[in-house]
């Protein structure tokens, strides 16, 4: 290998680094990377919508049908039934989060044990489980349609014997 070749190779490297650096500087001036003050868009249905007004119009039978289609593959609804992939949901409305004794909850859900499943918490959870409890094992994308969440929650009320329909907002 002669030194002319080495010189040329070294020059090539220096020039490419130089060009890369120059493009970086120029692009930074043309498109400064500052974070926008407000996100440019938000995903529809992912805001925490107050659920109470929707519960007034909710349908238990539609909720039961949705629960059968969406939740039943992982959850039981009958008191005393064995837990499935997820815990038994009989009595879930109003109960303390992550509190069905033998079920082994994720740390994500256990960390919320000081709270209970109010209607609003159920709604926010069902909107996007992974956002409500990052790290949860409930692998459901979420139910973006607020009226469907209300129907499902109204149905969940019927699984808590002591809970009159629509009274779980505290
Ligand atoms: C793919 C399986 C799967 C589906 C489908 C599913 N879940 Fe779950 N669910 C889970 C798992 C797993 C957990 C436990 C999560 C954890 O420990 O992080 C859970 C936990 C829950 C909890 C918390 C219960 C408690 O005792 O604190 C509620 C409430 C719940 N699911 C409601 C629903 C509803 C309502 C649906 C239908 C709209 C649904 N889930 C669909 C798997 C599922």
């Amino acid at each position: 290998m002669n030194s002319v070749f080495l010189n040329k190779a070294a020059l090539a490297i220096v020039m490419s680094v130089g060009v890369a650096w120059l493009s970086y500087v120029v692009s930074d001036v043309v498109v400064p990377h500052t974070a926008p003050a407000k996100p440019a868009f938000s995903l529809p249905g992912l805001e925490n919508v107050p659920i109470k007004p929707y519960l007034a119009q909710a349908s238990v039978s539609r909720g039961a049908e949705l629960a059968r289609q969406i939740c039943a593959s992982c959850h039981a609804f009958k008191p005393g039934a064995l837990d499935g992939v997820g815990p038994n949901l009989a009595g879930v409305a109003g109960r303390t989060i992550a509190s069905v004794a033998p079920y082994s909850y994720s740390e994500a859900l256990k960390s919320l044990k000081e709270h209970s499943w109010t209607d609003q918490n159920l709604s926010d959870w069902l909107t996007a489980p992974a956002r409500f409890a990052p790290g949860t094992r409930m692998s459901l994308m979420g139910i973006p349609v607020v009226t469907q969440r209300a129907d499902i929650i109204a149905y969940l009320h019927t699984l808590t014997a002591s809970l009159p329909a629509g009274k779980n907002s505290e």
Side-chain angles (χ1 to χ4, degrees):
M1 220 177 278
N2 61 41
S3 64
V4 174
F5 173 79
L6 284 179
N7 279 344
K8 277 185 182 166
L11 187 68
I13 291 168
V14 168
M15 278 176 67
S16 12
V17 171
V19 167
W21 178 78
L22 196 69
S23 349
Y24 173 78
V25 171
V26 169
S27 67
D28 204 36
V29 170
V30 177
V31 188
H33 44 183
T34 48
K38 246 176 65 175
F41 65 93
S42 66
L43 295 174
L46 279 186
E47 305 85 22
N48 290 347
V49 178
I51 194 70
K52 210 172 173 184
Y54 294 93
L55 279 172
Q57 326 280 325
S59 148
V60 169
S61 58
R62 275 199 311 259
E65 182 57 20
L66 286 167
R68 196 183 59 74
Q69 290 170 359
I70 309 173
C71 328
S73 52
C74 297
H75 288 285
F77 301 105
K78 291 212 166 64
L82 289 179
D83 293 328
V85 174
N88 189 336
L89 292 184
V92 75
R95 123 181 138 197
T96 304
I97 294 182
S99 62
V100 173
Y103 186 81
S104 153
Y105 292 92
S106 65
E107 290 304 318
L109 220 54
K110 277 198 270 187
S111 72
L112 297 171
K113 265 187 152 170
E114 273 155 44
H115 306 274
S116 63
W117 287 121
T118 59
D119 295 334
Q120 192 59 47
N121 279 344
L122 280 169
S123 175
D124 297 345
W125 162 250
L126 292 176
T127 305
R131 196 187 47 161
F132 183 90
T136 177
R137 284 203 314 272
M138 174 152 138
S139 52
L140 182 83
M141 280 301 285
I143 299 171
V145 182
V146 61
T147 51
Q148 292 188 341
R149 290 200 301 278
D151 291 344
I152 292 171
I153 294 166
Y155 167 65
L156 292 178
H157 281 191
T158 68
L159 307 178
T160 299
S162 60
L163 201 68
K167 292 263 172 63
N168 183 30
S169 46
E170 302 321 317

